[in-house]
Every structure is written in C-alpha cells, then in structure tokens.
Amino acid sequence: MSIIHADRITKVFNPRGKGAVTALSELSLDVREGEIFGLLGPNGAGKTTFIKVLLEIVTATSGTAEMLGAPIGSAAAKARVGYLPENHKYPDFLTGAQVLRYFSKLGGLPSDKREARVADRLKLVGMEQWDKTKIRKYSKGMMQRIGLAQALINDPQLVILDEPTDGVDPLGRKEIRDMLQRLRDQGKTVFLNSHLLSEVELICDRVAILNKGRLIRMGTVKELTTQENTYRIGVRGEVTEELRLNWEATRVSVREENGELVCALPDVAALNAVIDQLRAAGLLITSVAEKRQSLEDMFIDVISREDAK
Amino acid sequence: MKLMALIEFTFREGLARKTIIGFAVISTFFLVIGIIAALLIPTVIETGNPQAGVTTIDITNNTQVIWQVQAALTGFINFAALVLSIFATASILPNTMEKGSIDLLLSKPVSRMEILLGKILGSLLIVVVNVAYFIVGMWLIVGLRTGEWNPSFLGVTISITYTYIVLFAPMLVIGIASHSSALTIIVLYVFIFLISPILESREAIIQLAQSDIAKTVLDTLYYILPKPDALGSVSYDLVMHQSLDWMPVWSSGLFAVAMYGLAAWQFRRKDF
Ligand SMILES: Nc1ncnc2c1ncn2[C@@H]1O[C@H](COP(=O)(O)OP(=O)(O)O)[C@@H](O)[C@H]1O
Ligand SMILES: [Mg+2]
C-alpha cells in the first residue's frame, strides 16, 4: 500500500509576478508502507516545498496527492502524521513538556493519555531531565530532540522529517538514525528530506533525487549506486588523441582524475578491451581497481550531468 | 477543545511577552490616581459669589455630575484602551505566521479557520480582561466614594470591546498580507489619530473646499470606514443615559464583517 502517493505535483510560486519560481514540476512518487524514504537534492531543489504540499502548508498549482489513503490536507490524514519542519521554532516561553502538551492537544490526543505520552516521548529523545526548562534555554541539538518528540507525540503512522540531523552533533545524528530505524521496525513509515547523502545512505530503503523541482532518479540506494561499473586504471604514459577519439566514437566514458583514468563500463569484457587499447598505444598499466560509487558520487555525477543539459 | 488550546496559548503568549502585564500595570497606575483623586476631591463643592450667596452642591446627591465625571473618564479610557490594545495584539498573527511555527500548526489536524479564530478570540480575551479590570475598578472607586452605582458605566466595557473588534479586523488583513506588526500598528494609529478625526470633521472641510468631489469622497469614506470617534461618543451617551446613535455602530460593524471575511479568505489561501 502507498502511504504517500503523489501524481504530477507542480508548484509555481508567484505565478503571475515577475519572480515566478517553479519549485516542483510534475513530481510523481510513491512511498510504501514501512519504509524509510529519502528525498534528496541540492538546496533549492524543492524538497521542502514537496513536504509543504503534502501538508497543505502551500497549495499545489496542479496535480493530486494522497496521504495515508486520504486526500492531502484532510484532518483524517493530518491526524496520523508527525512532522518536523526545517528551522522549526517552538514557543520559547513554554517548557519542553508544555510544548509537547500543547501539540498533543492540537493533534487530538485524549487528555487521559496526555501526561503518560509526554513523559514517554521526552524519555525517548533523552530529554526527560529538561522537561521543566524553558525552550529558550535549549541548544540547537536539544531543540531538534524536542522537535522529534513533538513529531512523535500522537503516535503517527507516517513521520515526515525535513533535514532531521541539521545542526546535530555526530553522536546525536547516530541516535536519530537509530531512532528512525526503530520506528521502521515498529511498522511506521518515515519520509525524510536531506542534503546529507552519506547519512541517507546509511538508513534509507529507497531514495528519490530531485533537482530544480524535477525527479531525476528513484530507487533503492543499491540500485542507484551500482547502475554502472566504474573502474580506476592507473597508467604510465600519455593518453593519445587517437585513443580519446576512439572512445568518443564508441561512447566509452573515460576521464582523467588524479593521474588515473576513471572509466564507466558495462562489464569486465569492456574493461579488458580498454586495457588492450591502452597497451596497444604503448601505455603501461600500473593498477586496476573497481570503484564502488557512493551515493554522494552518484549524486554529484547525476546532478552535474543534469545541470549541463 | 483544539480551539480552547489555541485561545489559551494566545493568552499565555500575551502573558509571556509581558503585554498583558504592561497593560495591567498601566491600568493599575491610573486606578491608583483615581483612588487618590477620590480621596482628595471633596464631595461637597461651594460655588457662587458673595453677593448672590454661597450655594453648596453635594455631588453624592447629584447623579448628573457623577455621570459627567464618568463620561469624561470614558473618553480617556476609550482612547487609552484602543492605543494599548492595538499595541498589545498587533504582533499576535505575524508571530503565528513565522516560518517554523506556522508550518507546525498547519501540519496538525486543525483547520486554518480554527487557527485564525483561536488567534482572534485569544486577542479579544486579552483586551476584554484588561478593559474590564480598569472599568470595574473605576466603577468601584466612583461608587464607593459617591454611592452612585451607574450600571451604564460598566457597559462601556462592551462598547470599547466592540470598537476593538471592529479595528482588529483591518489589523488582521494588514498583518496577514505584510507579516509585519510594526506596519499594522502604524496604519492603525494613522487611521485613528489622523484619518478618523479628519472624516469626523468633514463638514467643515467640505465647506472650506466648496467642492462636490471632495464632499462625495469624504462622505463615502466616512460611511465605509469604521468610526472610532463616533463609537467613543456612543460610550459617552451610554454613560449619560442619553439615546444612542446606532449608525456608527452598524456601519462600523459592516466594515468589520467585510474585513474579517477578507482576512479569512487571505489566510485560507496563503502559502507559507
Ligand atoms: N514561499 C515561497 N515563495 C517563493 N518562492 C519560494 C517559496 N518557498 C520556496 N520557494 C522557492 O522554491 C524553490 C524550492 O525551495 P525549497 O523547497 O525550500 O528547496 P529545498 O528544501 O530543496 O532546499 C527555491 O527556489 C525557493 O526559493
Ligand atoms: Mg529545504
């Protein structure tokens, strides 16, 4: 079952003004039950806008979407969602516990369950000693923790997090990752936005890459990072122009990086063909290594190719 | 229940931002002055000149004089209450719409109309509590000193609150469009202190200008826009037990209804 189903969502800000910005164009994606889904993209790609469309904080210019089987924006959908906005602000005159109480009321949690739930969520994020401290005294990391507790206060089916590890120290990041994985293990669905790819790689089951409002890749981390085999070949000697022209003509991607040749090739046979060509041209092979692409490499690669279009 | 949570939150915010306390301190200050005045001013006044003989007036037996005093007070309270209430509540909606807090509110299963209503009622609560505190305090001082318990004076709480409700409507519209509490305050003060008095004395201006266009423009503006000065006169008439002029009441009310409608429409479709 799809927990989030978006169908050709387009959002244009200030459509009539001179400063019209197409933040999303025809974005379609599905998030499945029980997965951790990561929406990635450079700053300004439209990640936050997509989340805001799902929660009707902004209205889509066109397209439709459903969340938890209900139309987006409906109270039925919102009642089962927890959300951590980016740069979230909490009323700084309230204490951590008061903030959780306030949002549990707005979320419709019955009052007899409230106190136990507030205490439980504070404990979950390791903030129980700070429950009576005013928010204005919290550090950035503590704010993020109370934000997570807030997102989980009504025991949501779906948790939407916008840059959850932003401003959190490495230890805190690990804790957040562990918490998200525990949520998944409990059968919850997690949707997160991030530009921190190395982290996403560690926990996301599936990711989508957004650039300038367009979806350019979607799949499991494994699918996206092993689409092509990349090899590094160390050589001694000059790569001749003749070789380059030959590669260009046969559409073999070879580029030089730190004195090595980096080749994207379909299989090992193609690798050996390139090695043969190099040796025939009188170059000496000093090393050959398979280069597994990290999500980050793939991301940079894909985005720069996309931007060059 | 969600609406109650929103109202309570708005009130707490007022407490935390010291606006309610500031309001209460100023009210208390004037109440103390009222108490001192009540103690110092004699209730029996001697008037007249030596030839005609001295007449003494005992204020406690003269309700007309007491009403006069209360009516004069009303003018001052009306002015002070509006200045303070606008100042105290102009930031409520812009604060709510700050990035990072509005997102969170809107993500909850609460409709935008509920959020707006919660903010309106919360602001109203802040103002009513303060105005009622001051009016009831003054009423007690005058009553205890003179024995005259003019119930109409308590009614001023209602007329001032009504004027505030009327003016809060354009405050919402400006706040939602501009996200700026400073701009809201400036526009409202310019209106109350400049535009409204000009429109109030439009007959004199029309006579001076001798222009039909000026007359049409000023008259139209007068009837469309709210009338804080005329509503102040309604408070005065109320205290003096005189018949009330309802035109400023209903015409200001119509303006307010239109503005609340506009604010709701703006808030419902706004992207945050
Ligand atoms: N309220 C808004 N009004 C106008 N433009 C906006 C608004 N919100 C976002 N944008 C623009 O939309 C684009 C996408 O922004 P955003 O969704 O915040 O990106 P991301 O979260 O991926 O960094 C950016 O170009 C941004 O300037
Ligand atoms: Mg963002």
Side-chain angles (χ1 to χ4, degrees), chain A residues 226-238:
Chain A
T226 53
Q227 271 182 340
E228 294 170 325
N229 301 319
T230 306
Y231 302 94
R232 296 179 156 271
I233 308 173
V235 290
R236 199 170 292 154
E238 280 297 307

Side-chain angles (χ1 to χ4, degrees), chain A residues 11 56 59 78 90 150, chain B residues 104 106 108 112 271-272:
Chain A
K11 175 65 196 178
E56 278 206 337
T59 337
K78 287 182 180 181
Y90 297 99
Q150 172 280 128
Chain B
L104 208 49
L106 291 176
K108 302 295 168 191
R112 290 193 179 205
D271 283 339
F272 291 101

Side-chain angles (χ1 to χ4, degrees), chain A residues 18 29 43 94 123 134 179 199 220 238 247 287 296:
Chain A
K18 267 184 294 194
L29 59 79
N43 286 327
L94 296 183
K123 191 151 162 260
K134 291 242 159 81
M179 198 186 302
E199 287 204 5
T220 63
E238 280 297 307
W247 289 330
S287 66
E296 190 152 351

